Amino acid sequence: SCAETSYVYRRHMVRRHTLDRYDYDTPPETDGREPATLVEQAVTDILARAEHWLGWDGRPVFKAGNAWTPHKVLRRVADHLLDHLAELECRLAGQPTIPDRWHGRMATTDADFARFTEIDLDEATSRLTRLAACYRSRLSTVDTTLLDAAPDNGGWTLRQMVHHVSRVTGYADMLDAPG
């Protein structure tokens, strides 16, 4: 029941709404893979794994101080892709980026506990594949010099950012097993 799930959620949940918990300064490792294909590969992996979430039993997996459900994983993937796509577009247009203040991985909403159905998977497939196509289209036109240029105000290169985004599969890892 919802009341039992709510009790279990509150009992196991560790609230850590602090940015100090994450290392945002260390740039991610990069490799020789083509940046234009990285996000698409990650989305393909996530959606293949999401097929196994159909018929989810309604019990969240508790990892890293958070409760994880299929809906939360896919919400976080979409949010992460969208946030960094906005950053990519602003940087390529020479505009200031707008920092992300949401940090939605730290919140599990009531909607995240909904049943996960074929319709939900179809919706996620449509949304995530379109976002991945945006990354592929945009990054296929960016030359290597620009991908590897350090921003004037510090921060990650575009290549580092795309490698970071491609690790969005880590959200799907949260449903693998309790940990």
Side-chain angles (χ1 to χ4, degrees):
S1 78
C2 280
E4 290 171 3
T5 300
S6 179
Y7 168 74
V8 170
Y9 173 67
R10 284 193 312 268
R11 190 181 74 199
H12 292 285
M13 185 64 193
V14 177
R15 307 264 311 178
R16 296 186 182 126
H17 291 273
T18 173
L19 300 180
D20 297 337
R21 183 165 171 230
Y22 304 101
D23 178 9
Y24 293 106
D25 295 324
T26 304
E29 298 278 329
T30 62
D31 56 38
R33 292 177 294 162
E34 174 58 43
T37 65
L38 290 178
V39 174
E40 191 169 46
Q41 291 166 0
V43 165
T44 298
D45 174 54
I46 291 163
L47 292 173
R49 292 162 75 179
E51 289 186 26
H52 300 284
W53 304 338
L54 293 169
W56 170 64
D57 66 7
R59 292 181 296 183
V61 174
F62 297 97
K63 274 189 175 175
N66 290 275
W68 295 93
T69 69
H71 285 288
K72 180 175 181 175
V73 167
L74 294 171
R75 173 175 57 83
R76 290 305 311 134
V77 169
D79 288 351
H80 202 80
L81 295 179
L82 187 58
D83 290 345
H84 284 291
L85 184 59
E87 178 184 0
L88 174 68
E89 289 298 331
C90 285
R91 287 180 57 187
L92 290 173
Q95 298 297 312
T97 61
I98 301 170
D100 175 21
R101 302 282 185 223
W102 165 224
H103 302 285
R105 79 175 317 275
M106 299 178 211
T108 306
T109 68
D110 287 346
D112 290 332
F113 287 100
R115 288 180 341 139
F116 186 69
T117 67
E118 290 86 354
I119 293 169
D120 299 313
L121 181 56
D122 287 347
E123 177 187 15
T125 300
S126 179
R127 177 176 294 122
L128 297 181
T129 54
R130 285 181 293 153
L131 282 167
C134 290
Y135 275 92
R136 183 185 62 245
S137 295
R138 191 61 167 116
L139 290 167
S140 66
T141 65
V142 178
D143 68 49
T144 303
T145 305
L146 192 53
L147 279 173
D148 295 323
D152 292 337
N153 58 350
W156 297 347
T157 66
L158 293 177
R159 183 182 305 276
Q160 290 166 330
M161 183 188 71
V162 173
H163 275 267
H164 164 77
V165 172
S166 73
R167 291 184 182 102
V168 74
T169 54
Y171 290 120
D173 294 344
M174 295 298 176
L175 288 182
D176 286 345

